[in-house]
Structure formats: C-alpha cells, structure tokens
Amino acid sequence: MRGSIVALVTPMHADGAVDWDRLRKLVDWHVAEGTHAIVAVGTTGESATLGFEEHDLVVREVISAARGRVPVIAGTGANSTEEAIRLTRDAKRDGADACLLVTPYYNKPTQEGLYQHYRAIAEAVEIPQILYNVPGRTACDMLPETVERLAQVPNIVGIKEATGNLERIREIRERCGTNFLIYSGDDATAVEAMLMGADGDISVTANVVPKKMAAVCEAALKGEASLARSLDAQINSLHRDLFVESNPIPVKWALQQMGLIDSGIRLPLTPLSKPAQQVLRDTMANCGLL
C-alpha cells in the first residue's frame, strides 16, 4: 500500500442520505485513474456523522466496488476505545485490507493513554492497523516516541502523519525503521515527505485529480525529485484551496461542480460559502477541472 491513497468522500444526496450509486462510480473512477488505494470512511468521508450501521455499509460497499483491484483501508478510529474496536472488527469481517485509526478527539488522552488505546485495538483485532495523527483536528498530538512504542506491536504497520512537519517524518523513520509505513496526511508537503522516505500520501486532493496525484506519488517514490516537484506544482493551488473552509466542505463542492457527486453534506458541516466558491472555482479552472 504505497503511493496515492485517496481519502474518499462519502457522496450524499441533497437530503444527506448516502448516494450508493455515486459511491460505486467514484471507486470505479479512482481505479481507472490509477489511484493506488482507497480509504473508506476516514475523516474526509464524514465518519463523525455516520452511524455505526451506515459506517459499516459504506466500508462494505467500497470493498465490493473495488473488487480487489486496489486495497481498501477502512477508517475505524473513534474517541472511545470500545467503539474503535467494534468498527475495526466489522471492517475485518467485511474484508478490508487494513484500518486507519484517528487519534481520539476531544478527550485529549495522555501519551500513555494513546499507547494503551492503540495497543488494545491491535490486540483485539488481527488486521493491519495504521495510526493517524492530525492534531489540528483532534487537539491531540501523538509524539514520535509514542509512535515508536506502538511500532513494536506486530499488526500496527504504519502512520498517517498529518502535521505537515517534515522533521516529524524524518524522526519517525529514524525511530521506527524502514519497514514501518509512513504516509503524509498533508498534500502540500507530501512530495517532500516522500522524497525523505515516506511511503505515500493519504490525500484529499486525489479526490479531484486522481491521475495527477498518482503520477506525483509515483515520481516521488522513485526519487525523481525534479519530475515530482514539477507535477506537483501544477496542482499545488488545489492543495491550498481545497482547505479554504473545513474539509470536506470544499472537496465535496468541487466534486459536485465536476458532476461526480450530488450536493449532500451533513450538519454541522454546511455547503461551501459563496466567497469560498469563487476562490475554489478560479483554482479549479486554472487546473483544467472546469
């Protein structure tokens, strides 16, 4: 599981109901465009507003639509260890290749609490598990020394590090060795992270330009720095403006403009504001998407 891994949105109808037909079509599109793996119901997939049954159904549908053509990583994190274990068990049952578990949000566990949380999930469910550190969204920062401890747990196989701090990438690699998978969770710095030894990018931008993101990642992973940076420069404005408002508000609006999904998004998230629409529309036009 290396390269461009899309943090897939969950398409919804205008009333907020999951749009199953569009979901299947998105998976087919990503396979055709060269995306290397798919995260189903990660935080970009609005995991926080899907109920347990819906969550499982979306993961199951993505696995079914992928038909083994690309790996599927199920987002199964929660701020309750018991809930995370339940979601992870369900993902294993349904055939996910791995699980991605965001750090517990709001309750702000200590580093020891993080260690105990992730170890408990790993011991409860025998499936490859990827840690996910995104303190800008969770108010919880998992430090490299904690990652190093967790890397000793056999089925904890990697981390999505979304701080955008390249020194973190370097330190985690030094602490955890070459067999521990490291994914950038920050599109703007992903190329440099991969050139430093990261294994790929779990990407928001890949939702709208999957073929370009796959090419960027392939070049970076081959060490073709000039080519990777040149390709990335063509879409770096998307890395910025797809976060003009809280993710996944802008990326869902962009996909709607491209005719790939309907307008649905769930409260407390709201549709992209008019001023932000103009910003993103200009960027999409400059990138040849409109």
Side-chain angles (χ1 to χ4, degrees):
M1 296 184 293
R2 301 177 80 238
S4 177
I5 303 173
V6 63
L8 192 69
V9 303
T10 301
M12 298 172 181
H13 297 289
D15 64 0
V18 175
D19 187 336
W20 302 105
D21 181 58
R22 295 279 194 170
L23 180 63
R24 289 186 288 269
K25 288 178 179 177
L26 282 181
V27 172
D28 283 339
W29 183 55
H30 277 284
V31 173
E33 292 285 289
T35 294
H36 300 110
I38 296 172
V39 172
V41 203
T43 48
T44 300
E46 294 176 81
S47 56
T49 57
L50 292 181
F52 275 119
E53 296 304 319
E54 279 185 313
H55 192 121
D56 288 352
L57 285 169
V58 173
V59 169
R60 197 176 305 151
E61 195 64 35
V62 172
I63 292 168
S64 175
R67 302 199 309 278
R69 294 173 291 173
V70 295
V72 175
I73 302 166
T76 59
N79 61 351
S80 159
T81 306
E82 182 180 352
E83 289 181 8
I85 289 172
R86 172 181 169 177
L87 290 169
T88 304
R89 281 180 174 150
D90 290 352
K92 180 186 178 182
R93 175 200 65 202
D94 293 334
D97 295 284
C99 291
L100 176 68
L101 296 109
V102 69
T103 53
Y105 46 88
Y106 183 78
N107 41 18
K108 297 179 72 173
T110 63
Q111 295 301 303
E112 180 62 23
L114 288 171
Y115 174 75
Q116 296 290 346
H117 170 79
Y118 281 111
R119 191 181 74 172
I121 301 164
E123 290 176 349
V125 191
E126 191 174 347
I127 189 173
Q129 296 178 24
I130 301 165
L131 313 171
Y132 177 13
N133 189 42
V134 57
R137 296 293 290 253
T138 63
C140 176
D141 189 6
M142 183 161 50
L143 300 179
E145 50 264 39
T146 303
V147 178
E148 182 180 13
R149 291 179 70 194
L150 287 166
Q152 307 308 310
V153 180
N155 56 324
I156 294 179
V157 300
I159 185 170
K160 175 184 176 182
E161 176 58 52
T163 59
N165 181 345
L166 293 172
E167 184 53 39
R168 278 286 183 94
I169 301 292
R170 189 190 312 278
E171 183 176 354
I172 292 169
R173 176 61 73 216
E174 289 174 354
R175 285 176 174 270
C176 299
T178 56
N179 291 328
F180 190 72
L181 295 165
I182 301 174
Y183 303 108
S184 172
D186 178 64
D187 284 316
T189 58
V191 164
E192 299 307 317
M194 286 182 281
L195 292 173
M196 290 172 56
D199 296 283
D201 179 24
I202 297 181
S203 171
V204 173
T205 304
N207 277 283
V208 296
V209 284
K211 184 177 290 187
K212 289 182 178 179
M213 280 303 303
V216 166
C217 291
E218 287 166 5
L221 291 174
K222 291 176 183 176
E224 298 173 351
S226 295
L227 176 59
R229 289 169 177 147
S230 174
L231 292 171
D232 192 56
Q234 298 172 20
I235 55 174
N236 61 14
S237 58
L238 283 171
H239 301 332
R240 179 191 67 231
D241 292 337
L242 285 173
F243 292 88
V244 67
E245 288 182 0
S246 296
N247 180 51
I249 293 171
V251 71
K252 293 194 87 172
W253 183 86
L255 287 166
Q256 182 194 6
Q257 297 304 297
M258 295 168 66
L260 294 173
I261 66 172
D262 202 348
S263 61
I265 194 164
R266 289 192 179 176
L267 288 170
L269 299 182
T270 52
L272 191 65
S273 67
K274 294 294 184 182
Q277 286 180 22
Q278 190 57 56
V279 171
L280 187 51
R281 183 180 291 109
D282 291 345
T283 295
M284 292 176 68
N286 290 337
C287 292
L289 295 175
L290 295 177

